[in-house]
Amino acid sequence: SYRNGLLDHTGGNRAVGKQLPQPWVQTDGGDRARLDDVLAGRSTLLHTGPARPWPAWAAGGIRCLRVTPAGSAPAPGTIVDDD
């Protein structure tokens, strides 16, 4: 888990220089796919907070997706952790 965010500039993050695992997720349509395939190379803000608009990110062309826990119902604007 990255409690201080993925980018840790203190040098204490052992994930630096390593490939992140690609989890299985469910799309908003309920299909199972790898996270990279869902993101399709687009800049995307992934968040776990409540569903809400992110106008500043959207204005910059950044897609925002809410990540919900395994077992959650698929919904527009979300991906469900399926790992």
Side-chain angles (χ1 to χ4, degrees):
S1 135
Y2 297 97
R3 296 193 188 282
N4 295 322
L6 180 58
L7 301 177
D8 177 5
H9 300 286
T10 65
N13 190 331
R14 292 180 286 169
V16 171
K18 298 193 183 197
Q19 183 176 7
L20 294 173
Q22 290 305 306
W24 286 100
V25 297
Q26 283 186 14
T27 66
D28 57 2
D31 297 320
R32 190 169 192 246
R34 289 285 188 184
L35 179 61
D36 269 359
D37 294 331
V38 173
L39 300 181
R42 289 184 57 194
S43 295
T44 306
L45 170 70
L46 298 175
H47 69 94
T48 58
R52 64 174 223 172
W54 296 83
W57 289 100
I62 307 297
R63 179 173 55 167
C64 302
L65 293 174
R66 180 177 182 222
V67 181
T68 57
S72 300
T78 67
I79 53 176
V80 179
D81 180 0
D82 201 30
D83 251 352

Coordinates of all heavy atoms in Angstrom, one line a residue:
S1 N 0.8 -1.2 0.0 CA 0.0 0.0 0.0 C 0.9 1.2 0.0 O 2.0 1.2 0.6 CB -0.9 -0.1 1.2 OG -1.0 1.1 1.9
Y2 N 0.4 2.3 -0.6 CA 1.2 3.5 -0.7 C 0.5 4.6 0.1 O -0.2 5.4 -0.4 CB 1.3 3.9 -2.2 CG 2.1 2.9 -3.0 CD1 1.4 2.0 -3.8 CD2 3.4 2.9 -3.0 CE1 2.1 1.0 -4.5 CE2 4.1 2.0 -3.7 CZ 3.4 1.0 -4.5 OH 4.1 0.1 -5.2
R3 N 0.7 4.5 1.4 CA 0.0 5.4 2.3 C 0.4 6.9 2.1 O -0.4 7.8 2.4 CB 0.3 5.0 3.8 CG -0.3 3.7 4.1 CD -0.3 3.4 5.6 NE -0.7 2.1 5.9 CZ -1.9 1.6 5.8 NH1 -2.9 2.4 5.5 NH2 -2.1 0.3 6.1
N4 N 1.6 7.2 1.6 CA 2.0 8.5 1.3 C 1.9 8.9 -0.1 O 2.6 9.8 -0.6 CB 3.4 8.8 1.9 CG 3.5 8.6 3.4 OD1 2.6 9.1 4.1 ND2 4.6 8.1 3.9
G5 N 1.2 8.1 -0.9 CA 1.2 8.3 -2.3 C 2.2 7.4 -3.0 O 3.1 7.0 -2.4
L6 N 2.0 7.2 -4.3 CA 3.0 6.4 -5.1 C 4.3 7.1 -5.2 O 5.3 6.5 -5.2 CB 2.4 6.1 -6.4 CG 3.2 5.2 -7.3 CD1 3.5 3.9 -6.7 CD2 2.5 5.0 -8.7
L7 N 4.3 8.4 -5.4 CA 5.5 9.1 -5.6 C 6.1 9.6 -4.2 O 5.6 10.5 -3.6 CB 5.3 10.3 -6.5 CG 4.8 10.0 -7.9 CD1 4.5 11.3 -8.7 CD2 5.7 9.1 -8.6
D8 N 7.1 8.9 -3.8 CA 7.8 9.2 -2.5 C 9.1 9.8 -2.8 O 10.0 9.1 -3.3 CB 7.9 7.9 -1.7 CG 8.6 8.1 -0.4 OD1 8.9 9.3 0.0 OD2 8.8 7.1 0.3
H9 N 9.3 11.1 -2.6 CA 10.6 11.7 -2.9 C 11.6 11.7 -1.7 O 12.6 12.3 -1.8 CB 10.3 13.2 -3.3 CG 9.4 13.3 -4.5 ND1 9.8 13.0 -5.7 CD2 8.1 13.6 -4.6 CE1 8.9 13.1 -6.6 NE2 7.8 13.5 -5.9
T10 N 11.3 10.9 -0.7 CA 12.2 10.8 0.5 C 13.2 9.7 0.2 O 14.1 9.5 1.0 CB 11.4 10.6 1.8 OG1 10.8 9.3 1.7 CG2 10.4 11.7 2.0
G11 N 13.0 8.8 -0.8 CA 13.8 7.7 -1.0 C 13.5 6.5 -0.3 O 14.1 5.5 -0.4
G12 N 12.4 6.5 0.5 CA 12.0 5.3 1.3 C 11.0 4.4 0.6 O 10.6 3.4 1.2
N13 N 10.7 4.6 -0.6 CA 9.7 3.8 -1.3 C 10.4 2.7 -2.1 O 11.1 2.9 -3.0 CB 8.9 4.6 -2.3 CG 7.7 3.9 -2.8 OD1 7.8 2.7 -3.0 ND2 6.7 4.6 -3.1
R14 N 10.2 1.4 -1.7 CA 10.9 0.3 -2.3 C 10.4 0.0 -3.7 O 10.9 -0.8 -4.4 CB 10.8 -0.9 -1.4 CG 11.6 -0.8 -0.1 CD 11.5 -2.0 0.7 NE 10.2 -1.9 1.3 CZ 9.7 -2.9 2.0 NH1 10.3 -4.0 2.2 NH2 8.5 -2.8 2.5
A15 N 9.2 0.6 -4.1 CA 8.7 0.4 -5.4 C 9.4 1.1 -6.5 O 9.1 0.9 -7.7 CB 7.2 0.7 -5.4
V16 N 10.2 2.1 -6.2 CA 10.9 2.9 -7.2 C 11.7 2.0 -8.1 O 12.4 1.1 -7.7 CB 11.8 3.9 -6.5 CG1 12.7 4.6 -7.5 CG2 11.0 4.9 -5.7
G17 N 11.5 2.2 -9.4 CA 12.2 1.4 -10.4 C 11.6 0.0 -10.7 O 12.2 -0.8 -11.4
K18 N 10.5 -0.3 -10.1 CA 9.9 -1.6 -10.3 C 8.5 -1.5 -11.0 O 7.8 -0.5 -10.8 CB 9.6 -2.3 -8.9 CG 11.0 -2.6 -8.2 CD 10.8 -3.5 -7.1 CE 12.2 -3.6 -6.5 NZ 12.4 -4.6 -5.6
Q19 N 8.2 -2.4 -11.7 CA 6.9 -2.4 -12.4 C 5.8 -2.7 -11.4 O 5.9 -3.6 -10.6 CB 6.9 -3.5 -13.5 CG 5.6 -3.5 -14.3 CD 5.7 -4.5 -15.5 OE1 6.7 -5.3 -15.6 NE2 4.7 -4.5 -16.3
L20 N 4.7 -1.9 -11.5 CA 3.6 -2.1 -10.7 C 2.8 -3.3 -11.2 O 2.7 -3.5 -12.4 CB 2.6 -0.9 -10.7 CG 3.2 0.3 -10.0 CD1 2.3 1.5 -10.3 CD2 3.5 0.1 -8.6
P21 N 2.2 -4.2 -10.3 CA 1.4 -5.3 -10.8 C 0.2 -4.8 -11.5 O -0.3 -3.7 -11.2 CB 1.1 -6.0 -9.5 CG 1.2 -5.0 -8.4 CD 2.3 -4.1 -8.9
Q22 N -0.3 -5.5 -12.4 CA -1.5 -5.2 -13.1 C -2.7 -6.0 -12.6 O -2.9 -7.1 -13.0 CB -1.4 -5.4 -14.7 CG -0.4 -4.4 -15.2 CD -0.8 -2.9 -14.9 OE1 -1.9 -2.5 -15.2 NE2 0.1 -2.2 -14.3
P23 N -3.5 -5.4 -11.8 CA -4.6 -6.1 -11.2 C -5.7 -6.3 -12.2 O -5.9 -5.6 -13.2 CB -5.1 -5.2 -10.1 CG -4.7 -3.8 -10.6 CD -3.5 -4.0 -11.3
W24 N -6.5 -7.3 -11.9 CA -7.8 -7.6 -12.7 C -8.8 -6.6 -12.1 O -8.9 -6.4 -10.9 CB -8.3 -9.0 -12.5 CG -7.4 -10.0 -13.3 CD1 -6.5 -10.8 -12.9 CD2 -7.6 -10.2 -14.7 NE1 -5.9 -11.5 -13.9 CE2 -6.6 -11.2 -15.0 CE3 -8.4 -9.7 -15.7 CZ2 -6.4 -11.7 -16.3 CZ3 -8.2 -10.2 -17.0 CH2 -7.2 -11.2 -17.3
V25 N -9.6 -6.0 -12.9 CA -10.7 -5.1 -12.5 C -11.9 -5.5 -13.3 O -11.9 -6.1 -14.4 CB -10.3 -3.6 -12.7 CG1 -9.1 -3.3 -11.8 CG2 -10.1 -3.3 -14.2
Q26 N -13.1 -5.0 -12.9 CA -14.3 -5.0 -13.6 C -14.6 -3.6 -14.1 O -14.5 -2.7 -13.4 CB -15.5 -5.5 -12.8 CG -15.5 -7.0 -12.5 CD -16.8 -7.4 -11.8 OE1 -17.7 -6.7 -11.7 NE2 -16.8 -8.6 -11.3
T27 N -15.0 -3.6 -15.4 CA -15.3 -2.3 -16.0 C -16.7 -1.9 -15.6 O -17.5 -2.6 -14.9 CB -15.3 -2.3 -17.5 OG1 -16.3 -3.2 -17.9 CG2 -13.9 -2.9 -18.0
D28 N -17.1 -0.6 -15.9 CA -18.5 -0.2 -15.6 C -19.5 -1.0 -16.2 O -20.7 -1.1 -15.8 CB -18.7 1.3 -15.9 CG -18.4 1.7 -17.3 OD1 -18.1 0.8 -18.1 OD2 -18.5 2.9 -17.6
G29 N -19.2 -1.8 -17.3 CA -20.1 -2.7 -18.0 C -20.1 -4.1 -17.4 O -20.8 -5.0 -17.9
G30 N -19.2 -4.3 -16.4 CA -19.1 -5.6 -15.7 C -18.1 -6.6 -16.4 O -18.0 -7.7 -16.0
D31 N -17.4 -6.2 -17.4 CA -16.4 -7.0 -18.0 C -15.1 -7.1 -17.2 O -14.8 -6.1 -16.6 CB -16.0 -6.5 -19.4 CG -17.2 -6.5 -20.4 OD1 -18.0 -7.5 -20.3 OD2 -17.4 -5.5 -21.1
R32 N -14.5 -8.2 -17.2 CA -13.2 -8.4 -16.4 C -12.1 -8.1 -17.4 O -12.0 -8.6 -18.5 CB -13.1 -9.8 -15.9 CG -12.0 -10.0 -14.9 CD -12.1 -11.4 -14.2 NE -11.2 -11.4 -13.1 CZ -10.2 -12.3 -13.0 NH1 -9.9 -13.1 -14.0 NH2 -9.4 -12.3 -12.0
A33 N -11.1 -7.2 -16.9 CA -10.0 -6.8 -17.8 C -8.8 -6.5 -16.9 O -9.0 -6.2 -15.7 CB -10.4 -5.7 -18.6
R34 N -7.6 -6.4 -17.4 CA -6.5 -5.9 -16.7 C -6.6 -4.4 -16.7 O -7.0 -3.7 -17.6 CB -5.2 -6.3 -17.4 CG -4.8 -7.8 -17.3 CD -4.3 -8.0 -16.0 NE -3.8 -9.4 -15.9 CZ -3.4 -9.9 -14.8 NH1 -3.4 -9.3 -13.6 NH2 -3.0 -11.2 -14.7
L35 N -6.1 -3.8 -15.6 CA -6.1 -2.3 -15.4 C -5.5 -1.6 -16.6 O -6.1 -0.6 -17.1 CB -5.5 -1.9 -14.1 CG -5.5 -0.4 -13.8 CD1 -6.9 0.1 -13.7 CD2 -4.7 -0.2 -12.5
D36 N -4.4 -2.0 -17.1 CA -3.7 -1.3 -18.2 C -4.6 -1.3 -19.4 O -4.7 -0.3 -20.2 CB -2.4 -2.0 -18.6 CG -1.2 -1.4 -17.8 OD1 -1.4 -0.4 -17.0 OD2 -0.1 -1.8 -18.0
D37 N -5.3 -2.4 -19.6 CA -6.2 -2.4 -20.8 C -7.4 -1.4 -20.6 O -7.9 -0.8 -21.6 CB -6.8 -3.8 -21.0 CG -5.6 -4.8 -21.4 OD1 -4.6 -4.3 -22.0 OD2 -5.7 -6.0 -21.1
V38 N -7.9 -1.3 -19.4 CA -9.0 -0.4 -19.2 C -8.5 1.1 -19.3 O -9.2 1.9 -19.9 CB -9.6 -0.6 -17.8 CG1 -10.6 0.5 -17.4 CG2 -10.2 -2.0 -17.6
L39 N -7.3 1.3 -18.8 CA -6.8 2.7 -18.9 C -6.4 3.1 -20.4 O -6.4 4.2 -20.7 CB -5.6 2.9 -18.0 CG -5.9 2.6 -16.5 CD1 -4.6 2.9 -15.7 CD2 -7.0 3.5 -16.0
A40 N -6.0 2.1 -21.1 CA -5.7 2.2 -22.6 C -4.7 3.4 -22.9 O -4.9 4.1 -23.8 CB -7.0 2.4 -23.3
G41 N -3.7 3.5 -22.0 CA -2.7 4.6 -22.2 C -3.2 6.0 -22.0 O -2.4 6.9 -22.2
R42 N -4.4 6.2 -21.5 CA -4.9 7.5 -21.2 C -4.5 8.0 -19.8 O -4.5 7.1 -18.9 CB -6.4 7.6 -21.3 CG -6.9 7.5 -22.7 CD -8.4 7.6 -22.7 NE -8.9 8.9 -22.1 CZ -10.1 9.1 -21.8 NH1 -11.1 8.2 -22.0 NH2 -10.5 10.3 -21.3
S43 N -4.2 9.2 -19.6 CA -3.9 9.7 -18.3 C -5.2 9.7 -17.5 O -6.3 10.1 -18.0 CB -3.4 11.2 -18.4 OG -2.2 11.3 -19.0
T44 N -5.1 9.0 -16.4 CA -6.3 8.8 -15.6 C -6.1 9.0 -14.1 O -5.1 8.5 -13.6 CB -6.8 7.3 -15.8 OG1 -7.0 7.1 -17.2 CG2 -8.1 7.1 -15.1
L45 N -6.9 9.7 -13.4 CA -6.9 9.8 -12.0 C -7.7 8.7 -11.4 O -8.9 8.6 -11.6 CB -7.5 11.2 -11.6 CG -7.7 11.4 -10.0 CD1 -6.3 11.4 -9.3 CD2 -8.5 12.6 -9.8
L46 N -7.1 7.8 -10.6 CA -7.8 6.8 -9.9 C -7.9 7.2 -8.5 O -7.0 7.6 -7.9 CB -7.0 5.5 -10.0 CG -6.7 4.9 -11.4 CD1 -5.8 3.7 -11.3 CD2 -8.0 4.5 -12.1
H47 N -9.1 7.1 -8.0 CA -9.4 7.5 -6.6 C -10.3 6.5 -5.9 O -11.0 5.7 -6.6 CB -9.9 8.9 -6.5 CG -11.3 9.0 -7.0 ND1 -12.4 9.0 -6.2 CD2 -11.8 9.2 -8.3 CE1 -13.5 9.1 -7.0 NE2 -13.2 9.3 -8.2
T48 N -10.3 6.4 -4.6 CA -11.1 5.5 -3.8 C -12.2 6.2 -3.0 O -12.9 5.6 -2.3 CB -10.2 4.6 -2.9 OG1 -9.5 5.5 -2.0 CG2 -9.3 3.8 -3.7
G49 N -12.2 7.5 -3.1 CA -13.2 8.3 -2.4 C -14.6 8.3 -2.9 O -14.8 7.5 -3.9
P50 N -15.5 9.1 -2.4 CA -16.8 9.1 -2.9 C -16.9 9.5 -4.3 O -16.0 10.3 -4.8 CB -17.5 10.1 -2.0 CG -16.6 10.5 -0.9 CD -15.2 10.0 -1.3
A51 N -17.9 9.0 -5.0 CA -18.1 9.5 -6.4 C -18.4 11.0 -6.4 O -19.2 11.4 -5.6 CB -19.2 8.7 -7.0
R52 N -17.7 11.7 -7.3 CA -17.9 13.1 -7.4 C -17.3 13.6 -8.7 O -16.4 13.0 -9.2 CB -17.3 13.9 -6.2 CG -15.8 13.7 -6.1 CD -15.2 14.6 -5.0 NE -14.0 15.2 -5.5 CZ -13.3 16.1 -4.9 NH1 -13.7 16.5 -3.8 NH2 -12.2 16.6 -5.5
P53 N -17.7 14.8 -9.1 CA -17.0 15.3 -10.3 C -15.6 15.9 -10.0 O -15.4 16.3 -8.9 CB -18.0 16.5 -10.8 CG -18.7 16.8 -9.5 CD -18.8 15.6 -8.7
W54 N -14.8 15.8 -10.9 CA -13.4 16.4 -10.8 C -13.2 17.4 -11.9 O -12.5 17.1 -12.8 CB -12.4 15.3 -10.8 CG -12.5 14.3 -9.7 CD1 -13.3 13.2 -9.6 CD2 -11.7 14.3 -8.5 NE1 -13.1 12.6 -8.4 CE2 -12.1 13.2 -7.7 CE3 -10.7 15.1 -8.0 CZ2 -11.6 12.9 -6.5 CZ3 -10.2 14.8 -6.7 CH2 -10.6 13.7 -6.0
P55 N -13.8 18.6 -11.8 CA -13.8 19.5 -13.0 C -12.4 19.9 -13.4 O -12.1 20.1 -14.6 CB -14.7 20.6 -12.6 CG -14.8 20.5 -11.1 CD -14.6 19.1 -10.7
A56 N -11.5 20.2 -12.5 CA -10.2 20.6 -12.8 C -9.4 19.6 -13.6 O -8.7 19.9 -14.6 CB -9.4 21.0 -11.6
W57 N -9.5 18.3 -13.2 CA -8.9 17.2 -13.9 C -9.5 17.0 -15.3 O -8.8 16.9 -16.3 CB -8.9 15.9 -13.1 CG -8.1 15.9 -11.9 CD1 -8.5 16.1 -10.6 CD2 -6.7 15.7 -11.8 NE1 -7.4 16.1 -9.8 CE2 -6.3 15.8 -10.5 CE3 -5.7 15.5 -12.8 CZ2 -5.0 15.7 -10.1 CZ3 -4.4 15.3 -12.4 CH2 -4.0 15.4 -11.0
A58 N -10.8 17.0 -15.3 CA -11.6 16.8 -16.6 C -11.2 17.9 -17.6 O -11.1 17.7 -18.8 CB -13.1 16.7 -16.3
A59 N -11.1 19.2 -17.1 CA -10.8 20.3 -18.0 C -9.4 20.1 -18.6 O -9.2 20.6 -19.7 CB -10.8 21.6 -17.2
G60 N -8.5 19.4 -17.9 CA -7.2 19.1 -18.5 C -7.2 17.8 -19.3 O -6.1 17.4 -19.7
G61 N -8.3 17.2 -19.6 CA -8.4 16.0 -20.4 C -8.1 14.8 -19.7 O -7.8 13.7 -20.3
I62 N -8.1 14.8 -18.3 CA -7.7 13.7 -17.5 C -9.0 13.0 -17.1 O -9.9 13.6 -16.5 CB -7.0 14.1 -16.2 CG1 -5.8 14.9 -16.5 CG2 -6.6 12.8 -15.4 CD1 -4.7 14.3 -17.3
R63 N -9.1 11.7 -17.4 CA -10.3 10.9 -17.1 C -10.1 10.5 -15.6 O -9.0 10.3 -15.1 CB -10.3 9.6 -17.9 CG -11.4 8.7 -17.6 CD -11.5 7.5 -18.5 NE -10.2 6.8 -18.6 CZ -10.1 5.6 -19.1 NH1 -11.1 5.0 -19.7 NH2 -8.9 5.0 -19.1
C64 N -11.2 10.5 -14.9 CA -11.3 10.2 -13.4 C -12.1 9.0 -13.2 O -13.3 8.9 -13.7 CB -11.8 11.4 -12.6 SG -10.9 12.9 -12.9
L65 N -11.6 7.9 -12.6 CA -12.3 6.7 -12.3 C -12.2 6.4 -10.8 O -11.1 6.5 -10.2 CB -11.7 5.5 -13.1 CG -11.9 5.6 -14.6 CD1 -11.1 4.4 -15.2 CD2 -13.3 5.5 -15.0
R66 N -13.3 6.1 -10.2 CA -13.4 5.6 -8.9 C -13.1 4.1 -8.8 O -13.6 3.3 -9.6 CB -14.7 5.9 -8.3 CG -14.9 5.5 -6.8 CD -16.3 5.9 -6.3 NE -16.4 5.6 -4.9 CZ -17.4 5.0 -4.4 NH1 -18.5 4.8 -5.1 NH2 -17.4 4.7 -3.1
V67 N -12.2 3.7 -7.9 CA -11.9 2.3 -7.7 C -12.7 1.8 -6.5 O -12.5 2.4 -5.4 CB -10.4 2.1 -7.5 CG1 -10.1 0.6 -7.3 CG2 -9.6 2.7 -8.6
T68 N -13.5 0.8 -6.7 CA -14.3 0.3 -5.6 C -13.9 -1.1 -5.2 O -13.2 -1.8 -6.0 CB -15.8 0.3 -6.0 OG1 -16.0 -0.5 -7.2 CG2 -16.3 1.7 -6.2
P69 N -14.1 -1.5 -4.0 CA -13.7 -2.9 -3.5 C -14.3 -4.0 -4.3 O -15.4 -3.9 -4.8 CB -14.1 -2.9 -2.1 CG -14.5 -1.5 -1.7 CD -14.9 -0.8 -2.9
A70 N -13.6 -5.2 -4.2 CA -14.1 -6.4 -4.8 C -15.5 -6.6 -4.3 O -15.8 -6.4 -3.1 CB -13.2 -7.6 -4.5
G71 N -16.4 -7.1 -5.2 CA -17.8 -7.4 -4.8 C -18.7 -6.2 -5.0 O -20.0 -6.4 -4.9
S72 N -18.2 -5.0 -5.2 CA -19.0 -3.9 -5.5 C -19.7 -4.0 -6.8 O -19.2 -4.7 -7.7 CB -18.2 -2.6 -5.5 OG -17.6 -2.4 -4.3
A73 N -20.9 -3.4 -7.0 CA -21.6 -3.4 -8.3 C -20.9 -2.4 -9.2 O -20.5 -1.3 -8.9 CB -23.0 -3.0 -8.0
P74 N -20.7 -2.9 -10.5 CA -20.2 -2.0 -11.5 C -21.1 -0.8 -11.7 O -22.3 -0.9 -11.5 CB -20.2 -2.8 -12.8 CG -20.2 -4.2 -12.3 CD -21.0 -4.2 -11.0
A75 N -20.5 0.4 -11.9 CA -21.3 1.6 -12.1 C -20.5 2.5 -13.0 O -19.3 2.4 -13.1 CB -21.6 2.3 -10.8
P76 N -21.2 3.5 -13.7 CA -20.5 4.4 -14.5 C -19.5 5.2 -13.8 O -19.7 5.6 -12.6 CB -21.7 5.4 -15.0 CG -22.9 4.6 -14.9 CD -22.7 3.7 -13.7
G77 N -18.3 5.4 -14.4 CA -17.2 6.1 -13.7 C -16.5 5.4 -12.7 O -15.7 5.9 -12.0
T78 N -16.7 4.0 -12.6 CA -16.0 3.2 -11.6 C -15.3 2.0 -12.3 O -15.7 1.6 -13.4 CB -16.9 2.7 -10.5 OG1 -17.8 1.7 -11.1 CG2 -17.7 3.8 -9.8
I79 N -14.3 1.5 -11.6 CA -13.8 0.2 -11.9 C -13.8 -0.6 -10.6 O -13.6 0.1 -9.5 CB -12.4 0.2 -12.5 CG1 -11.4 1.0 -11.7 CG2 -12.5 0.7 -14.0 CD1 -10.0 1.0 -12.3
V80 N -14.1 -1.8 -10.6 CA -14.1 -2.6 -9.4 C -12.9 -3.5 -9.3 O -12.5 -4.2 -10.2 CB -15.4 -3.5 -9.4 CG1 -15.5 -4.4 -8.2 CG2 -16.7 -2.7 -9.6
D81 N -12.2 -3.4 -8.1 CA -11.1 -4.3 -7.9 C -11.5 -5.7 -7.9 O -12.4 -6.1 -7.2 CB -10.5 -3.9 -6.5 CG -9.2 -4.8 -6.2 OD1 -8.9 -5.6 -7.0 OD2 -8.7 -4.6 -5.1
D82 N -10.9 -6.5 -8.8 CA -11.4 -7.9 -8.9 C -10.3 -8.9 -8.6 O -10.3 -10.1 -8.9 CB -11.9 -8.2 -10.4 CG -12.8 -9.3 -10.5 OD1 -13.5 -9.7 -9.5 OD2 -12.8 -10.0 -11.6
D83 N -9.2 -8.4 -7.9 CA -8.1 -9.3 -7.6 C -8.2 -9.8 -6.2 O -8.6 -9.2 -5.3 CB -6.8 -8.6 -7.7 CG -5.9 -9.1 -8.9 OD1 -6.3 -10.1 -9.5 OD2 -4.9 -8.4 -9.2

